[in-house]
Amino acid sequence: MITRSRGTKAVLANTAVNKPLPWLSGWRAQNEIRVDGTTKNTLEYEIVQVVDTGPILRDMAFSMDHEHLYIMSEKQLTRVPVESCSQHETCSECLGSGDPHCGWCVLHNTCTRKERCERSSEPRRFASEMKQCVRLTVHPNNISVSQYNVLLVLETYNVPELSAGVNCTFEDLSEMDGLVVGSQIQCISPAAKEVPQIITENGDHHIVQLQLKSKETGMTFASTSFVFYNCSVHNSCLSCVESPYRCHWCKYRHVCTHDPSSCSFQEGRVKMPEDCPQLLQAEKILVPVEVIKPITLKAKNLPQPQSGQRGYECILSIQGSEQRVPALRFNSSSVQCQNTSYSYEGMEINSLPVELTVVWNGNFNIDNPAQNKVHLYKCGAMRDSCGLCLKADPDFECGWCQGQNQCTLKQHCPAQDSQWLELSSTKGKCTNPKITDINPVTGPREGGTRVTIRGENLGLEFQDISSHVKVAGVECKPLVEGYIPAEQIVCEMGEAKPSQHAGFVEICVTECKPEFMARSSQLYYFMTLTLSDLKPKRGPVSGGTQVTITGNNLNAGSNVIVTFGRQPCLFYRRSTKHIVCNTTASYEGFEKVKVSVRVDKAKIHQELHYEYVEDPTILRIEPEWSIFSGNTPIAVWGTHLDLIQNPQIRAKHGGKEHVNNCEVQNSTEMTCQAPALAVDPNHQSELAERPEEFGFILDNVQSLLILNKTNFTYYPNPIFEVFNPSGILELKPGSPIILKGRNLIPPVAGGNAKLNYTVLVGEKPCAVTVSDVQLLCESPNLIGRHKVMARVGGMEFSPGMVYISPDSPLSLPAIVSIAVAGGLLIIFIVAVLIAYKRKSRESDLTLKRLQMQMDNLESRVALECKEAFAELQTDIHELTSDLDGAGIPFLDYRTYTMRVLFPGIEDHPVLRDLEVPGYRQERVEKGLKLFAQLINNKVFLLSFIRTLESQRSFSMRDRGNVASLIMTVLQSKLEYATDVLKQLLADLIDKNLESKNHPKLLLRRTESVAEKMLTNWFTFLLYKFLKECAGEPLFSLFCAIKQQMEKGPIDSITGEARYSLSEDKLIRQQIDYKTLVLSCVNPDNVNSPEIPVKILNCDTITQVKEKILDAIFKNVPCSHRPKAADMDLEWRQASGARMILQDEDITTKIENDWKRLNTLAHYQVPDGSVVALVSKQVTAYNAVNNSTVSRTSASKYENMIRYTGSPDSLRSRTPMITPDLESGVKMWHLVKNHEHGDQKEGDRGSKMVSEIYLTRLLATKGTLQKFVDDLFETIFSTAHRGSALPLAIKYMFDFLDEQADKHNIHDPHVRHTWKSNCLPLRFWVNMIKNPQFVFDIHKNSITDACLSVVAQTFMDSCSTSEHRLGKDSPSNKLLYAKDIPSYKNWVERYYSDIAKMPAISDQDMNAYLAEQSRMHMNEFNTMSALSEIYSYVGKYSEEILGALDQDDQAGKQKLAYKLEQVITLMSIDS
């Protein structure tokens, strides 16, 4: 049936459900269908989006089965389902939707059409009205968590018959059969193991859904909330008995329970809040500090402790620390905290409220519902004057002690009564009032200015000062509302006479006697105020214009009122020359009004006018679209736009507003940058979005905040792809650069949308052609590598770099030569091909064989890499999780600095007191103090260092030593040390450039005192950064290397290993080995579980001991562990026998002058054996010399080893032979030393070429890659893990840049090299190669070799020169060849980021250096260090004195004479 009706384009009725259901497409939404009920009293229940654009045509048709409707627009045919019932998930949602097709299929728990619901004609199986929805109640509806298997009765409404059965489900806790009895269903609550755990943090109850599930359909068809509660989480009586659940309090056991039978009357069962033991509301409890005083508290129902229970205590929590005080229970309604004094820190708090808790029996709290607190107070705190003292709370009983000039309690003031003033006494008046400040200090003559006078002792009551205030000779009337007793008076000025110009403020407190009078130090001036102009002179009628009125003395007085006609102009700010205010809306409409300015009682007479004109309007904006990020240009046309001072454009979406700025061109035009749309950048939609609100902020014009007539649309941001995985695109000159992406052209209707793209190649822009999926950029005339940057709408994206290779144009002779050479080459190739054909058959077979071998080898390497990595990741995870608990074994500051400054010297003199004979001690100390003054003189120190460096006998070692000694002396004066270091470095740079050396060689080697001082300077200042940031990845790398090395065999003599990063330390043969897990008895606690330790059967006994020590003492710093050499390894066999295992003993095998160290395989120790480390025993057999033992006697010893006597007797009889060095026997473990001529390469195990084992370097490198990357990334990040860049690095890099600028060095490579030589190569390489400088660890030779490879990679990463690598390059350079370019990028970015950071001022740097000096003030013995430096004075005294004589500044300061004094005092024969 098709009919037409008013306001309707097309109507089609569906009579499939016994009543006509018209489908209407109306004017209101031309691309939507409104689905309505019958045409009379229609009810809209759903709006469905059907076509993308354009109106719907009147022709509509149902499908044959009446399930769908076909709808057309001009460009589109759409099939729409008649209903979408399945979108509703609950019965109430389904039946409340109003869709006449839909009903609720009860047992299937779904919204559907009736004909699709199984057995829908049976009673209550299909609900078509809201009142037919299933309802459910349960009794009881809560139980305790300690109640199990309780019978629950569920009353059901509107449920169909459940003959197939029903299940009761408590969410995911439990499920059981339900018993149907009429309209009731009986269920059992969960069993003990299924009840939910309720812990204190989550309250005292847990709500679960009790669901009924039909066995017929397997679906949940009804549910209700059910509560499990837990009384025992309550730990106070009031919270227990006030709980909504059935909880009871046991007063004497201090527990809360649901079961009254478990708490008898004798145990003090409490049911009502009023029966709870509790403290009652107390008056304010005041306790002065340091005064011994009891605290008495009223209470009720206080329990009498039973036998065996402890008495009462008061706990006061004062500034985070608890003070426990014994308390006395007088009776059930009173308790007293015993006589005690209390105190708190600081004089900035005069009264401190303190939490008070009364407990008994140790920790049984008495409830404190009134939140009673104890107020500790100090009379003297923040009451420095008599007035402040006497205005304190009278209950404090504070008074002013005149003798001591302080606020105290009476008992703390000396006895004479006349000395102590208190508020209540008749003589309680403070003398000597004082005025400290007046504001304002200028005002109009007409008066009315409110002057604020601040000071001390300004009376205690308003009457004290109400009639005695004069300002510049004019009466000033005090105001009650501004008066603050003792501290502040606010008074209103009267009118001044023309003859009065300025004067002081004078006050009397109570009476005008000298001791009660005060006069200000500031003068108050009377001013004449004038106006001259205002800007702008017109603005919109809605107001909001910021108007500036100019004139003279406009900051005088206290209150400014500006009116434009009858409208106020809201005061904003003012100065001497300006008053700024914001106009309000004019209710009189468009008019020219007079401007009036009043300051206090003065009205300024000047004819100024302001004009209210028509509000701006917006007529058109173009284009009506932008992208999510905004910032695309929008042209706006309207009227009166030039009235607006700061126009803005706004868009609101998802509740968030963004604004952007506009620029007015003239009264009818302005240009704006589109505001961004608030969409989540991580979940950006691919569809266009409309903002909820879009408009303009034009001063106060409200009508334009939301533009109703615009359809402003936002489209998705353009997205670009990177060039390729490497990020580098190679091109020939003139070739276009293509940037691929999507959304590059917004899909605006009409298709004429354009975004303004800027593409920069390096610094140069290129011409851009845009399509929807790519940008074509005509590359500018450049060659080389350049970064590409695309910008659009406030977004920036770099798809990577382009490398434009230069063309090489050829001359005609060159082309002819190439052609001739090409012809000859073709003839040669033909000849070769003929020969090759003959050989190819043979070579094919060889090639296939080689290919198979290579595939085999490749898969072996891959497998090895994969296994090693997986294994190490799990091991390192265990290791790092252990570390989290134990912490990294950092050395303390002193040990760390000593290891860097004086490597290899354990007990350096600077750590000890000065050692001099007693008779010389006084003279020497005097001499050294004088010498210290010289060292702290910059002229002397620079001259001293330069003189030493010019001596030929002053060696490299001496230079380093002097630099370290000077830095230890100047540890407490790092500002001065930094100044000297900068001067020395500047001299070094000058010298380097004068001697025509290449600038890149600067700081490369330690050839001067300055270079070593620079290392030491960084050592001091980067300790905190090492501890907080870089130490963790460095320690992880060390542990990872050590663990990875120890997973494979390590030769204990040559130091070679199966897993290595160093080619020199790689075992180049196949070693068969097995991993064993030994159980080691814990030496600290024999009864604790044995510790499993992973060992290799090819390990020597010493290696086994070291691995066991690592496992047992894994969280103990190395210096606190026992040494392997001091322990014996004891093998405890199942038979009870015990045997000491050693590297060498009587059983050691000797073949052809080669003696092999004993391993676990030699002793045939099986997997799972029990071993123990015992202290070394000196036995009779340790003394046996191996040269005296024949092979026959060896067998006798072997028989002895098998002896199964008592463990003790056996331990003492284990054989051991010390090696005889004179016998010429050579020791070996896994690999016979290559230096011996009798061993050929072929003897080293496998017949494969030994270089094949170099692939193991790759496996190890792959395994350790993450740890190396982590370390490099931490070092080369300006902000890593929340740790800021150390100031020292920024400061020194800036200094080097300044020096480069000073010498006109603009080559970035030179600057880069200076920075690399200064920090990474001078400090970090040292730390990477020597982690034992930072941590308490032991570093073996294989770990050292691997760290050296990492350090070399680190150095290469900091270099700017390109490394040309070939097959003959060292393996350690080849190993990291692929990684170094990306590391170099990190370094460049790091240096660039540092350069961009704001410079550090000398003031900030000096403050930082002073703080560092203070922290480590007394680490070294300065006297001993000075004595060590002085030894160089003794050696070169003539040269140093000569240099000082020639220096003008030194001559003026008589430094040579002072040094001679030092030499005299220090000489032995003096």
Side-chain angles (χ1 to χ4, degrees), residues 557-712:
S558 56
N559 186 34
V560 181
I561 297 170
V562 184
T563 53
F564 284 18
R566 278 182 284 178
Q567 309 308 324
C569 187
L570 304 176
F571 175 76
Y572 179 56
R573 59 184 160 81
R574 62 177 174 153
S575 65
T576 315
K577 300 279 186 188
H578 303 101
I579 294 174
V580 181
C581 66
N582 293 314
T583 64
T584 53
S586 168
Y587 300 112
E588 307 295 326
F590 318 134
E591 60 176 344
K592 199 166 195 171
V593 294
K594 194 173 176 184
V595 175
S596 157
V597 179
R598 291 182 73 91
V599 176
D600 300 334
K601 288 185 179 175
K603 183 173 181 182
I604 308 173
H605 301 287
Q606 179 71 34
E607 285 289 313
L608 295 177
H609 290 91
Y610 178 83
E611 186 179 5
Y612 281 109
V613 297
E614 191 181 342
D615 281 344
T617 60
I618 303 294
L619 302 174
R620 180 163 65 98
I621 62 173
E622 211 175 90
E624 285 192 293
W625 60 266
S626 183
I627 54 176
F628 290 159
S629 66
N631 288 290
T632 59
I634 297 174
V636 181
W637 287 269
T639 61
H640 299 298
L641 299 177
D642 56 336
L643 298 175
I644 306 302
Q645 292 160 316
N646 295 306
Q648 290 181 307
I649 186 168
R650 67 183 285 272
K652 187 174 179 183
H653 188 72
K656 289 185 187 169
E657 183 176 21
H658 282 269
V659 296
N660 213 332
N661 294 326
C662 299
E663 195 176 317
V664 175
Q665 308 297 320
N666 52 48
S667 65
T668 59
E669 286 180 44
M670 65 179 178
T671 56
C672 301
Q673 293 295 314
L677 196 69
V679 292
D680 184 351
N682 301 321
H683 303 95
Q684 197 188 98
S685 165
E686 286 297 312
L687 301 170
E689 296 273 2
R690 289 260 181 90
E692 293 156 11
E693 293 179 10
F694 184 86
F696 293 85
I697 302 169
L698 305 180
D699 292 348
N700 260 6
V701 180
Q702 301 297 311
S703 59
L704 299 178
L705 282 173
I706 303 172
L707 285 186
N708 293 323
K709 59 188 176 188
T710 180
N711 289 320
F712 202 89

Side-chain angles (χ1 to χ4, degrees), residues 1071-1114:
I1071 304 282
D1072 290 327
Y1073 68 95
K1074 278 199 320 198
T1075 303
L1076 310 177
V1077 178
L1078 303 186
S1079 298
C1080 181
V1081 177
N1082 189 331
D1084 295 336
N1085 183 358
V1086 181
N1087 298 322
S1088 67
E1090 291 158 353
I1091 298 165
V1093 186
K1094 278 190 181 178
I1095 310 284
L1096 307 182
N1097 66 347
C1098 63
D1099 284 344
T1100 65
I1101 304 309
T1102 299
Q1103 288 176 331
V1104 174
K1105 288 193 281 186
E1106 284 171 349
K1107 286 184 180 178
I1108 290 172
L1109 286 170
D1110 279 346
I1112 294 172
F1113 300 103
K1114 65 181 172 184

Side-chain angles (χ1 to χ4, degrees), residues 1266-1424:
K1266 172 185 174 292
F1267 301 94
V1268 175
D1269 284 354
D1270 273 2
L1271 176 62
F1272 286 16
E1273 188 187 347
T1274 304
I1275 292 174
F1276 295 133
S1277 295
T1278 50
H1280 195 75
R1281 306 178 191 194
S1283 183
L1285 179 81
L1287 295 185
I1289 297 175
K1290 170 69 177 165
Y1291 189 73
M1292 190 50 68
F1293 279 17
D1294 282 359
F1295 170 73
L1296 292 174
D1297 281 336
E1298 284 166 23
Q1299 289 293 314
D1301 291 341
K1302 180 180 163 187
H1303 294 94
N1304 289 322
I1305 296 172
H1306 300 298
D1307 181 352
H1309 291 314
V1310 172
R1311 291 176 179 237
H1312 182 105
T1313 306
W1314 282 9
K1315 290 172 185 175
S1316 295
N1317 292 350
C1318 150
L1319 175 69
L1321 273 60
R1322 186 146 295 287
F1323 176 76
W1324 285 120
V1325 166
N1326 201 11
M1327 296 301 134
I1328 293 170
K1329 287 179 77 166
N1330 299 297
Q1332 75 275 18
F1333 285 1
V1334 187
F1335 312 112
D1336 191 346
I1337 52 174
H1338 168 67
K1339 179 183 73 170
N1340 57 22
S1341 64
I1342 178 64
T1343 311
D1344 182 57
C1346 295
L1347 286 168
S1348 295
V1349 173
V1350 176
Q1352 180 62 52
T1353 305
F1354 186 85
M1355 290 163 73
D1356 293 343
S1357 304
C1358 296
S1359 165
T1360 55
S1361 54
E1362 291 294 328
H1363 296 282
R1364 295 247 172 250
L1365 296 176
K1367 64 179 187 294
D1368 298 325
S1369 300
S1371 61
N1372 62 338
K1373 291 203 184 270
L1374 289 169
L1375 200 55
Y1376 282 95
K1378 277 189 179 174
D1379 306 285
I1380 285 175
S1382 65
Y1383 293 155
K1384 284 189 173 184
N1385 288 341
W1386 292 3
V1387 178
E1388 284 171 14
R1389 185 198 64 212
Y1390 177 60
Y1391 290 172
S1392 161
D1393 287 351
I1394 292 174
K1396 288 174 189 167
M1397 290 167 81
I1400 298 163
S1401 67
D1402 287 339
Q1403 186 182 359
D1404 288 348
M1405 188 65 187
N1406 285 341
Y1408 165 68
L1409 291 168
E1411 173 64 12
Q1412 293 297 312
S1413 298
R1414 188 188 60 71
M1415 283 167 62
H1416 306 295
M1417 181 75 78
N1418 301 314
E1419 298 288 358
F1420 310 110
N1421 189 311
T1422 313
M1423 283 295 184
S1424 300

Side-chain angles (χ1 to χ4, degrees), residues 487-561:
E487 293 178 69
Q488 177 179 294
I489 300 168
V490 177
C491 64
E492 189 172 296
M493 291 290 290
E495 190 174 351
K497 295 170 188 167
S499 60
Q500 292 172 303
H501 298 286
F504 298 101
V505 176
E506 295 171 318
I507 61 165
C508 297
V509 180
T510 64
E511 50 187 322
C512 285
K513 290 182 181 176
E515 65 267 29
F516 294 116
M517 292 172 69
R519 178 191 242 197
S520 67
S521 58
Q522 293 165 282
L523 284 165
Y524 181 91
Y525 298 90
F526 294 109
M527 295 289 186
T528 303
L529 288 76
T530 61
L531 304 179
S532 56
D533 196 10
L534 86 158
K535 268 187 196 170
K537 290 188 167 58
R538 59 195 205 116
V541 74
S542 290
T545 308
Q546 195 164 83
V547 178
T548 302
I549 301 168
T550 53
N552 286 320
N553 303 324
L554 297 181
N555 61 339
S558 56
N559 186 34
V560 181
I561 297 170

